[in-house]
Amino acid sequence: MSKYKEISGVLREEILSGRYDATGKLPTEYELVSRFSVSRQTVRQAISCLRNDGYLYQIQGSGTYISKSGPKRQDRASKRVMVISTYISDYIFPSIIRGIEKELSAAGIQVSIAATGNRIDLERKILQNIIDTGDVDGIIAEGTKTGFPNPNISLYRRIKEMGIPVIFLHCSYPELDDAVVVGMNDMAGGRYIADYLIGKGYRKFGAIFKSDDRQGLLRYAGFCEGIINAGLSLDCVRPRWYTTEDVFASKEGGPDEVPVDYFTGDALVCYNDMVATAAITDYEKRGIPVPLILSFDSSHLCQAYPGRILSLGHRKDELGETAAVKMINMLSGKTEESVLMDWIC
């Protein structure tokens, strides 16, 4: 038996016996090197084995800690994946979750679902519970307020150190630059809409985007890039931004009403279909002619306004299925990479 495997076996038995319960912390690498008379590299290999098995997690600059999750996750007969979504509504989320459940259930993996309401305090409670209970083997998460600084980044890092794979839906946080993401190509979607409108002769645009999610930032950035590439000035775009907490935002993260009297131009570009339909309602209420509206997601909401909203199609089921397949691969020890899907135009 390799020396590092022998050491990891000894430490595993000591962890299970409760030897380190008083401090909750493993001895330092230096102390373990001295105790077992081996190299630092051998000690690190032993620690890595225990971390991958879920017995340990590391905090940079602090040390190696005993995870409550190790024995529980090892003893469970089947794997369990937690799906963390911002909302669970009748918009695009049920289709995404259906795609995830289809693939994971076929692989014999249990699925549990939690919603944050796009609130960082609820996201923190969910993540902290995963760390404390250790009853999750993988996480598929839609980030909360990915456009703003998030105090929960350290929890995601701790979960990674515990050996629990994480896949993000739509986009990740800038601080987690190595995260695996399964999403739509939001920049390309924004560019497509700009190209379409300019090609149709439109030259004056309104825009309503969500600022606390990176999806909104990227869609707007892509739209502006398309304007610039066409040789137009950005002063032809009049943007308006909203966040989850704005007074006109509903519990599902989209506006119940959008004040649009500030803009009566040629075309209006919206963050998603919820914004688009709310804008039409406000135009009509104010007696203002409704311009051409372009949007994202091509949800069922557009059916109420045939021909009045042109919306890029979201690959909802496919996105969920792809995230689930990647999670299955990661649970088996494989390395996965991010993928951004093309919009259905």
Side-chain angles (χ1 to χ4, degrees):
M1 179 185 294
S2 301
K3 192 64 177 178
Y4 78 88
K5 290 185 178 179
E6 180 181 332
I7 295 172
S8 68
V10 172
L11 294 176
R12 182 183 295 107
E13 291 301 318
E14 292 178 349
I15 291 170
L16 293 174
S17 69
R19 176 168 176 172
Y20 305 110
D21 286 356
T23 62
K25 189 174 182 180
L26 201 69
T28 66
E29 288 183 2
Y30 177 81
E31 290 170 328
L32 293 174
V33 165
S34 177
R35 174 185 171 187
F36 292 106
S37 300
V38 293
S39 68
R40 194 173 183 181
Q41 180 61 30
T42 300
V43 166
R44 287 182 173 177
Q45 285 180 292
I47 291 174
S48 178
C49 284
L50 292 171
R51 187 177 66 247
N52 291 337
D53 287 343
Y55 288 91
L56 300 173
Y57 66 91
Q58 292 176 306
I59 300 178
Q60 189 172 0
S62 178
T64 302
Y65 292 82
I66 312 303
S67 172
K68 299 176 183 179
S69 66
K72 294 180 182 179
R73 291 203 290 135
Q74 293 291 345
D75 292 344
R76 205 166 44 244
S78 62
K79 300 289 187 181
R80 179 180 171 223
V81 169
M82 170 74 78
V83 178
I84 305 173
S85 178
T86 51
Y87 304 100
I88 304 173
S89 67
D90 60 354
Y91 190 53
I92 64 173
F93 305 104
S95 296
I96 294 173
I97 293 172
R98 182 170 59 245
I100 293 173
E101 288 183 319
K102 172 187 171 184
E103 297 295 331
L104 293 183
S105 297
I109 298 174
Q110 300 177 26
V111 181
S112 56
I113 302 171
T116 65
N118 213 29
R119 290 171 48 184
I120 58 174
D121 59 323
L122 293 182
E123 179 189 45
R124 188 169 190 84
K125 288 180 181 179
I126 294 169
L127 297 177
Q128 190 63 59
N129 184 65
I130 290 172
I131 292 171
D132 292 342
T133 63
D135 60 351
V136 168
D137 299 283
I139 299 172
I140 298 177
E142 184 181 34
T144 299
K145 286 186 171 59
T146 50
F148 287 175
N150 191 307
N152 298 331
I153 296 300
S154 60
L155 299 185
Y156 279 110
R157 287 180 174 146
R158 186 180 304 178
I159 286 170
K160 180 180 178 181
E161 290 164 352
M162 291 169 64
I164 301 175
V166 179
I167 291 177
F168 285 95
L169 298 175
H170 295 132
C171 57
S172 177
Y173 302 94
E175 298 90 339
L176 303 177
D177 54 3
D178 59 345
V180 177
V181 178
V182 177
M184 302 301 297
N185 194 330
D186 291 306
M187 282 282 291
R191 287 194 298 268
Y192 178 88
I193 287 179
D195 293 343
Y196 176 87
L197 289 172
I198 294 170
K200 293 292 184 179
Y202 293 94
R203 293 296 183 271
K204 184 179 179 183
F205 315 104
I208 305 176
F209 284 98
K210 200 164 187 281
S211 62
D212 56 357
D213 287 331
R214 288 183 74 191
Q215 291 169 271
L217 303 180
L218 292 171
R219 292 173 188 180
Y220 175 72
F223 181 71
C224 289
E225 186 176 288
I227 296 294
I228 293 171
N229 290 343
L232 300 180
S233 171
L234 286 178
D235 62 10
C236 69
V237 183
R238 295 190 61 187
R240 184 182 182 93
W241 297 91
Y242 77 96
T243 68
T244 304
E245 286 78 19
D246 281 336
V247 293
F248 56 89
S250 76
K251 64 180 180 180
E252 297 297 346
D256 285 325
E257 74 175 75
V258 175
V260 295
D261 55 333
Y262 74 100
F263 171 73
T264 56
D266 302 325
L268 178 66
V269 182
C270 295
Y271 169 68
N272 63 15
D273 295 341
M274 288 189 286
V275 177
T277 54
I280 288 180
T281 298
D282 199 58
Y283 274 116
E284 293 177 338
K285 184 171 66 176
R286 296 169 186 267
I288 301 173
V290 180
L292 176 66
I293 295 181
L294 284 93
S295 180
F296 295 81
D297 295 338
S298 191
S299 70
H300 69 282
L301 296 176
C302 296
Q303 297 173 8
Y305 302 94
R308 303 175 72 182
I309 300 175
L310 302 181
S311 185
L312 299 184
H314 192 295
R315 299 181 184 274
K316 304 176 282 291
D317 294 83
E318 183 183 351
L319 186 142
E321 292 168 5
T322 301
V325 170
K326 286 182 176 291
M327 176 54 66
I328 292 169
N329 291 338
M330 292 174 74
L331 288 173
S332 65
K334 297 179 181 178
T335 301
E336 281 290 347
E337 296 182 353
S338 298
V339 59
L340 295 180
M341 300 180 178
D342 293 329
W343 292 88
I344 302 172
C345 302

